[in-house]
Amino acid sequence: MVGTIPTTSATGGRRSRGPRGFALAFALPMPVWQTLFFVAALLFLIVMTFWSVRNFRVEPDFTMANWVKMLSAGYFQDTYFRTVWYAALAALVASLIAFPCAYGMAFKLSPSFQRIVASSLILPYFTSYLVRAYSWKILLTENGVINGVLGYVNLGPFAMTSNLFAVLVGYMTLILPIVILLQYFSLAHVDRRLIEAAHNLRCGALRTVIQVVIPSARTGLILAATFAFILSFGDFVSPSFLGNNKPPTLSILMVDAVKSGSQWPRAAVVAITMVATLLLVAFLAMAFAYGRKAESR
Amino acid sequence: MMSGRLVTLALRTYLALALLLVFAPIITSFIYSFDADKYAAFPWGGFSTRWYGEALADPDVAKGFHNTIIVAVTSALIATAIGFATAYTDYRYRFFGKNAYLALALLPPTIPAIILGLAMLVFLSRVGLSGALHSIIICHVVYSIPFAMALIRLRLGQMDRDLEAAAWNLGASEWHALREVVLPFTLPAILAALFLAMAVSFDEYAIAWFVSGFSETLPVRILMLLQREVSPKVNAIGSLVFIVSMTLVLVAQVMLVMRAPSQAAANGPRQGAGRG
Amino acid sequence: MIHTTPRGRRSVTRRGFIKGSAAAIGLTATSGAWAQSGDKVVSLLSWPGHGAQDVIGDFEKATGIKVQAKEYTGGEEMMALLQSSPPGTYDVVLSDAEYVIQLQQAGLITELDAGAYPLDDYWPEFQQFPAQYVDGKLFAIVVDYGFLGLVYNSSVLSREEVDSYAILSSEKVKGKVGMYDWYLPNMMCLSLANGNRPPHDIDGAKFEAVKQSLFALAPEMSGIGVWSSVFSQLTNKESLVMPGVGAWAALLLEQGGVPIKAVVPKEGGLQWTEMLAISATSQKQDLAVQLVQYLTSPEGQVKEATKSAYWASIPNKAGWKLLNEQNPKAAESLEHRLDKRNVMDEFKEGKIFIRDVPKQQSIEVWNEAWTEFKNM
């Protein structure tokens, strides 16, 4: 494998006339943009969790009441673990459904077909997610299209809304294309000679996939699952439109807090808890993705 | 051999089925955009182009579409440029506080949009930047950077580090090596990042509602049409937008193939495996 | 549905649109585009539908004032937007009655000059409508309203069956009860069903009983959702009956060919009320007054009653008269006939209670019960 040469800023420094300029030109835009336009908003959110609501107005304060209130509420704890479970399940299901797709794209399609499929995976995002979720309802309800068709062959009706299945279908609408794409980008690179070598060693097709393909594409696969987790964890549309708000997820709980007489600080508590959870998940995933890869060398 | 072909066929069929799953709601929405019944149910209520007529005649829809294009294109360009720079920094340099640096890029999509929208409004209105299209652009760049960065970083990870080093050894400046080696190699990912960032912006309504004042975008309009009246115009709007974007992507594909077939193939992800 | 947009008017807005787009090309110019000093522009923050051409088109044409509408999807978002936007962004605010007191307490709206509006033309019940006043001062004025009780699928359930909220726990609709995702109308209807009058002013024990009635419905539910979800549930027979929803929704669905009807059950119903107020920081008080005057005038009231987003009852008696002359069919389906039984009779019979926030408990106590219910 490649990547054995540690390329650091020192290496770069020796090679150019304006070394720091070059490095900074790439390193700085993101922190500058985020500091100018995002950090303040984020800090405001954190600070707001200690504020209180008087006369339906959010006012500066320093109170732990919002944190205590939310974290000790039974419904919050239930909802928290439910949301983690839903998002993990969505990430797992999406990864499993996506892998054969990404594999097929990377290894069994011509380059021009690959490009066409890759672009058509981005296309759905150009139609509103709200409209897509709304359409699933027509397909999934008891008197909907799918049960209608199944009815002709004397099957069903199956309950496909207002339950975990419906919420998962909604999550897939949101994340499946991105997961396929990210997996595809990582699989497309897997060195063909490694696979050939495995074949030459009379390694079975399935074993090649498990022992050669998946380890080489590990970073991308984990990255894809992480994105899937993040997006489903914070999604409001699927649990609301397709799960019919019952049982709720954290994003629904947040909207509920707002409806409790403009309790934005409590909504912020929910939001910050979500951010902390997702950061933790993201770093664990990245450590897993990069760390284990280094070990395996 | 036989089993290999079977596997290929099975994988392709599976891929087609997965695409069908992804497109099922869009196809449904398309079919029901021609439904004569106002409220969609099974079976279909007969053919009508009434909703298209209403959608096209609605000045708010036209205005929203126009605003959305401006916001999506601008924010995608900025987010992709910043995403590329960030991905390249992560790829090439090691420095103190890198985790915090990456967290800063990754954070925005982890914050639920509805409350991020309020926080952005509070901040932007304080510095006099709220209530216009540029307010949405600012927020959508913040939101899209991680998507762009992830795609490009993934591609960079596949680049042989020796390639860039070889260019330096041949006397190329860092900028020159970047333009001649890194950029061409990451081009497919950059294009994908552009499209993905555009798509993220095209679908975002919660932040846009808060910060935009009276400059309404299409997703916000759709959200409003789904209140109260629950207008079937949304199916027609969704289908129109889909057809337009699909046409653009197809045209781009055809142009790419026509312009430089060999180069396009070289840029395909299948190539460029490590040669170290 | 009625779409009264004549060609001429549309082309005016299109020209405006082109002008606006030209400004939008230069991005920074857009912020100025809606604040150009010479133009007469008044801004309206409202639920969807009120700022549409079919409501304010004639006003714009007659006065040369351009109405710039921002629509919202929830009272709290509306309050947050008002508080966080630069002062003077919004001139006129349309809000539900229960938020008027919140808006007033937060100092977001200003006192109105009672003499400037056609309150004398209003039905007596609406001239002294309590939510309009804070400490005897007029802060908001009713623009439209409607009743909430039960909506039901009339192909499955008969009018007699839905004469009581008891239908919600009947075997016939098991697993087919739907609700709009807001604690207030649902819990108030259940409070009515428990015999509490008024339904929002109840002591701890009665509140506990309402909570139990709500929790008992958990196994009956098919879904709780936003409006598009509610409409889809009713259309697809996922839900056969819903409490806390009113005629406005039933009328839309019925006009769309779905057999949904609304009824105020014998235990009583609620009234939702939309009111107009003027922002405390508005720099264009005179234009704001003109817009409120128009929307409460007979002409504006007819537009409000039959707006394409949703039909509604109107408080102005002169507006009723005009509606009966111009659109007798709409007057019929809205029960606004002056010569026969109409919505004001239901009002007079004491069956209708104003939807209002809980009095003896805090909003949050009720809402938490609602969250718990969804969690069941």
Side-chain angles (χ1 to χ4, degrees), chain B residues 37-42 50 54 56-57 59-60 62-64 66-67 70 74 114 118 121-122 125-126 130-134 137 208-216 220-221 223-230 233, chain C residues 1 3 10 13-14 17 21 24-25 27-28 30-31 34 43-45 47-48 53 68-73 77-78 80-81 84-86 89-90 96 227-228 231 235-236 248 252-253 256 258 272 274 308-310:
Chain B
D37 280 353
K38 183 160 185 185
Y39 296 103
F42 181 76
R50 177 181 160 195
E54 289 194 8
L56 291 171
D60 291 338
K63 189 174 152 219
H66 180 262
N67 284 342
I70 293 174
T74 317
I114 155 177
L118 176 66
L121 172 63
V122 168
S125 72
R126 223 157 262 191
S130 71
L133 285 187
H134 59 243
I137 293 172
W209 181 81
F210 266 110
V211 301
S212 65
F214 301 100
S215 312
E216 191 178 75
V220 174
R221 182 90 300 260
L223 177 71
M224 295 306 159
L225 287 172
L226 282 174
Q227 299 295 310
R228 300 300 173 114
E229 186 188 5
V230 192
K233 273 194 270 186
Chain C
M1 301 258 40
H3 286 276
R10 195 178 293 156
T13 50
R14 194 164 292 162
F17 162 53
S21 334
I25 304 283
L27 291 174
T28 40
T30 25
S31 53
W34 48 272
S43 59
L44 167 70
L45 177 60
W47 281 105
Q53 279 299 307
Q68 206 152 34
K70 171 86 175 178
E71 299 174 337
Y72 63 79
T73 60
E77 280 88 352
M78 176 268 293
L81 191 71
S84 312
S85 297
T89 305
Y90 302 100
D96 281 311
W227 284 122
S228 50
F231 274 57
T235 309
N236 292 296
W248 70 268
L252 278 167
L253 283 159
V258 187
W272 58 268
E274 288 179 337
S308 65
Y310 54 103

Side-chain angles (χ1 to χ4, degrees), chain A residues 203-212:
Chain A
C203 195
L206 198 62
R207 232 179 110 198
T208 313
V209 170
I210 292 170
Q211 298 197 332
V212 179

Side-chain angles (χ1 to χ4, degrees), chain A:
Chain A
M1 285 297 286
V2 293
T4 45
I5 305 168
T7 329
T8 62
S9 50
T11 337
R14 253 180 279 127
R15 290 180 195 280
S16 86
R17 255 169 283 152
R20 294 195 63 79
F22 181 85
L24 291 179
F26 287 88
L28 283 183
M30 187 276 289
V32 167
W33 189 279
Q34 303 293 64
T35 309
L36 279 180
F37 301 122
F38 169 66
V39 173
L42 176 69
L43 289 179
F44 172 69
L45 269 191
I46 296 172
V47 170
M48 190 166 70
T49 62
F50 303 104
W51 288 12
S52 54
V53 175
R54 275 185 215 107
N55 290 337
F56 309 102
R57 243 194 143 120
V58 179
E59 287 182 353
D61 197 352
F62 191 79
T63 171
M64 291 302 291
N66 302 313
W67 283 96
V68 173
K69 171 91 196 168
M70 290 316 283
L71 296 188
S72 65
Y75 59 81
F76 176 82
Q77 294 160 8
D78 291 349
T79 307
Y80 181 83
F81 291 111
R82 179 185 309 120
T83 313
V84 171
W85 155 238
Y86 277 17
L89 190 64
L92 180 71
V93 171
S95 297
L96 290 179
I97 296 180
F99 187 77
C101 295
Y103 186 88
M105 275 173 76
F107 297 105
K108 307 289 180 190
L109 288 184
S110 68
S112 52
F113 249 102
Q114 288 181 27
R115 270 200 312 278
I116 289 171
V117 174
S119 353
S120 54
L121 282 170
I122 293 184
L123 273 180
Y125 292 103
F126 284 93
T127 51
S128 154
Y129 180 32
L130 289 170
V131 173
R132 279 179 286 151
Y134 184 62
S135 301
W136 269 120
K137 262 203 126 124
I138 308 173
L139 291 171
L140 295 177
T141 53
E142 197 183 316
N143 298 289
V145 175
I146 294 176
N147 272 321
V149 172
L150 288 176
Y152 287 125
V153 289
N154 286 325
L155 281 172
F158 296 101
M160 293 185 288
T161 52
S162 237
N163 55 22
L164 182 54
F165 175 79
V167 179
L168 275 179
V169 167
Y171 285 152
M172 290 309 126
T173 311
L174 179 67
I175 61 179
L176 191 58
I178 285 194
V179 173
I180 298 179
L181 271 178
L182 287 172
Q183 287 193 353
Y184 158 71
F185 274 111
S186 51
L187 285 178
H189 170 67
V190 171
D191 195 335
R192 305 292 152 137
R193 284 164 307 165
L194 279 178
I195 300 173
E196 278 163 36
H199 276 303
N200 292 342
L201 293 170
R202 295 183 180 279
C203 195
L206 198 62
R207 232 179 110 198
T208 313
V209 170
I210 292 170
Q211 298 197 332
V212 179
V213 178
I214 291 183
S216 345
R218 157 184 261 134
T219 312
L221 299 185
I222 294 176
L223 188 70
T226 311
F227 263 94
F229 186 94
I230 291 175
L231 290 175
S232 332
F233 193 74
D235 182 35
F236 174 79
V237 176
S238 284
S240 170
F241 270 52
L242 292 161
N244 284 338
N245 280 329
K246 204 173 176 317
T249 59
L250 284 176
S251 47
I252 293 172
L253 210 61
M254 216 176 70
V255 174
D256 273 6
V258 172
K259 283 186 184 169
S260 288
S262 293
Q263 281 289 355
W264 290 96
R266 281 185 206 159
V269 167
V270 179
I272 297 299
T273 316
M274 291 170 80
V275 173
T277 309
L278 289 178
L279 269 189
L280 184 70
V281 168
F283 276 105
L284 283 180
M286 288 308 113
F288 186 59
Y290 289 108
R292 285 279 293 276
K293 195 172 172 182
E295 254 169 55
S296 69
R297 273 201 201 123

